[in-house]
């Protein structure tokens, strides 16, 4: 109970600056981009010609690319799971403190909602996708939820989001580059815009952790180490298809991403190294005994992960997803 109260006190202290946080890391709705900015306008006579052009460009994209793009889209569409998981975190109170961390969570969710909306519409218009199979996987993923081992701990939750937002940025940034390589400039721009949002969100969550380290360094160090010990799992780790087992196709989705170079084991290590550097983990002093041990574990982690990653072999055979026509 004492630790819980301390967490809430720290979160309340940080929430005093919520106006500054929102204005620094989120874009006003009035000036933000919307999915319709990048898609054919059904009210115009040119709509069918633009859709035909979109479909022709879509034909140039390889199979694994479609598997990854659809998996990314389903991940984005499972946003209700992510919002609901943050709303129950200690220090987030949408009833008593709707303008505190609940305000941030709503506004962050509102920005993120555009991502799945845009990719879903693009994928539908592409003509390359079995939309019912995709929709089934999406409903499964939202229904199944996820298990990211953060409990209701704000320190662990913000470690997760700091890591995951950067991982998502990398994935969308690379799908943007690959789309451009295959001559699909419109899709490339869509993915790049999503990636830019994810980078802003990553910087926000990373700054929250930096502020917590200034106030409660030992407990924050312990929470960081605990999250890394159990590994940062991707939010779509329960991904499945019709009548499949929970999580049954996540491995195939991950393999496709690694074959394409969209998100790899090396990226996981580099994100870990970046967070260690940006939070200045190596130079922290005055920690409790357990926190100092956690600090030592974290500093040794990249080398350990590198040795493990070198042993992993990615299957070369493409899995046939029900999503792709």
């Amino acid at each position: 109970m004492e630790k819980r109260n301390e967490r809430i006190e720290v979160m309340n202290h940080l929430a005093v600056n919520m106006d500054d946080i929102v204005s620094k890391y989120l874009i006003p709705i009035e000036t933000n981009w919307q999915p319709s900015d990048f898609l054919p306008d059904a009210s115009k006579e040119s709509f069918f010609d633009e859709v035909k052009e979109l479909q022709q460009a879509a034909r140039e994209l390889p199979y694994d690319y479609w598997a990854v793009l659809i998996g990314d889209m389903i991940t984005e569409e499972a946003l209700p799971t992510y919002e609901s998981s943050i709303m129950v975190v200690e220090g987030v109170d949408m009833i008593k403190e709707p303008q505190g961390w609940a305000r941030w969570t709503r506004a962050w969710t509102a920005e993120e909602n555009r991502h799945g909306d845009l990719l879903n519409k693009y994928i539908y218009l592409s003509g390359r996708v079995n939309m019912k199979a995709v929709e089934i996987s999406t409903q499964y993923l939202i229904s199944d939820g996820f298990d990211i081992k953060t409990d209701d701990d704000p320190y662990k939750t913000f470690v997760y989001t700091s890591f995951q937002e950067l991982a998502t940025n990398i994935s969308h940034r690379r799908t943007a580059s690959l789309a451009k390589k295959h001559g699909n400039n419109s899709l490339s721009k869509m993915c790049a815009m999503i990636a830019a949002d994810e980078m802003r969100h990553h910087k926000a969550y990373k700054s929250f952790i930096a502020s917590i380290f200034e106030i409660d360094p030992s407990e924050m160090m312990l929470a960081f180490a605990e999250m890394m010990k159990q590994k940062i799992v991707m939010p779509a780790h329960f991904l499945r298809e019709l009548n499949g087992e929970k999580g049954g196709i996540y491995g195939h989705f991950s393999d496709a991403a690694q074959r394409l170079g969209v998100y790899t084991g090396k990226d996981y290590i580099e994100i870990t190294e970046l967070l260690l550097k940006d939070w200045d983990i190596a130079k922290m002093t005055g920690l409790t005994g357990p926190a100092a041990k956690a600090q030592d574990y974290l500093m040794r982690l990249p080398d350990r992960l590198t040795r493990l990653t070198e042993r992993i072999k990615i299957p070369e055979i493409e899995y046939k997803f029900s999503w792709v026509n």
Side-chain angles (χ1 to χ4, degrees):
M1 180 60 73
E2 182 179 350
K3 185 167 77 169
R4 178 180 184 276
N5 290 336
E6 288 173 356
R7 296 276 208 271
I8 293 173
E9 186 177 340
V10 170
M11 290 288 281
N12 288 341
H13 174 75
L14 297 180
V16 170
N17 299 315
M18 191 52 63
D19 285 345
D20 293 337
I21 291 171
V22 169
S23 64
K24 183 175 182 179
Y25 294 110
L26 301 176
I27 297 174
I29 295 171
E30 296 79 7
T31 57
N32 213 341
W33 64 263
Q34 297 299 332
S36 58
D37 295 333
F38 304 98
L39 296 164
D41 185 344
S43 69
K44 293 183 177 180
E45 291 184 3
S46 60
F47 175 70
F48 292 105
D49 289 336
E50 291 177 20
V51 171
K52 185 176 180 180
E53 185 179 338
L54 182 154
Q55 292 183 343
Q56 287 174 339
R59 293 191 190 105
E60 302 301 319
L61 299 168
Y63 184 90
D64 268 347
Y65 185 95
W66 280 106
V68 171
L69 186 68
I70 295 167
D72 283 350
M73 184 275 286
I74 293 171
T75 304
E76 295 284 0
E77 290 280 64
L79 187 60
T81 298
Y82 318 143
E83 180 183 28
S84 60
S85 71
I86 295 177
M87 280 297 191
V88 298
V89 163
E90 293 170 350
V92 181
D93 191 333
M94 60 183 170
I95 304 300
K96 296 179 181 178
E97 299 289 343
Q99 296 306 309
W101 285 107
R103 175 188 172 194
W104 163 264
T105 305
R106 292 193 308 271
W108 166 79
T109 300
E111 278 205 350
E112 287 280 340
N113 185 65
R114 292 140 57 250
H115 302 168
D117 194 9
L118 174 57
L119 292 178
N120 189 309
K121 288 172 180 172
Y122 174 84
I123 286 169
Y124 172 76
L125 291 173
S126 74
R128 288 287 309 272
V129 174
N130 179 340
M131 284 306 297
K132 185 165 185 178
V134 170
E135 290 157 357
I136 287 169
S137 288
T138 303
Q139 187 171 355
Y140 269 135
L141 187 59
I142 296 171
S143 179
D144 289 336
F146 64 1
D147 183 12
I148 56 174
K149 310 296 185 186
T150 56
D151 304 317
D152 59 354
D153 187 330
Y155 294 11
K156 293 180 184 178
T157 297
F158 287 168
V159 168
Y160 181 85
T161 49
S162 296
F163 194 107
Q164 183 54 40
E165 291 282 18
L166 185 52
T168 309
N169 163 267
I170 291 168
S171 180
H172 287 301
R173 185 156 37 91
R174 292 198 180 137
T175 53
S177 297
L178 287 168
K180 189 173 184 178
K181 181 180 177 181
H182 288 281
N184 196 325
N185 292 328
S186 61
L187 177 58
S188 177
K189 188 172 183 180
M190 294 177 208
C191 294
M193 294 300 289
I194 293 171
D197 278 0
E198 305 291 11
M199 179 55 76
R200 272 191 297 106
H201 299 164
H202 158 70
K203 289 178 179 178
Y205 286 110
K206 188 171 64 173
S207 77
F208 303 160
I209 293 292
S211 296
I212 295 171
F213 266 123
E214 292 177 2
I215 301 168
D216 195 8
S218 290
E219 285 298 315
M220 187 62 251
M221 189 72 72
L222 289 167
F224 184 18
E226 187 172 343
M227 285 302 297
M228 299 311 295
K229 283 178 182 178
Q230 60 198 14
K231 192 176 181 183
I232 304 292
V233 298
M234 297 300 105
H237 66 119
F238 285 160
L239 198 59
R240 58 163 143 170
E241 293 174 309
L242 180 63
N243 298 323
E245 293 185 4
K246 186 163 69 173
I249 60 168
Y250 176 75
H252 298 302
F253 166 61
S254 177
D255 289 344
Q258 296 214 58
R259 281 194 297 270
L260 277 181
V262 165
Y263 185 74
T264 68
K266 183 179 178 183
D267 293 316
Y268 186 98
I269 296 167
E270 290 180 352
I271 293 172
T272 302
E273 291 174 329
L274 178 77
L275 295 178
L276 291 170
K277 178 177 177 292
D278 287 353
W279 290 331
D280 216 11
I281 298 301
K283 297 179 181 178
M284 285 196 183
T285 57
L287 300 170
T288 63
K293 290 181 180 179
Q295 178 187 36
D296 182 62
Y297 165 80
L298 287 165
M299 294 310 301
R300 295 173 184 270
L301 185 59
D303 286 342
R304 178 173 172 271
L305 290 174
T306 298
R307 290 193 297 272
L308 292 172
T309 302
E310 287 172 350
R311 302 174 195 164
I312 298 173
K313 293 186 178 180
I314 307 304
E316 296 180 6
I317 300 173
E318 296 173 342
Y319 173 79
K320 297 304 177 185
F321 292 90
S322 62
W323 310 328
V324 186
N325 286 331

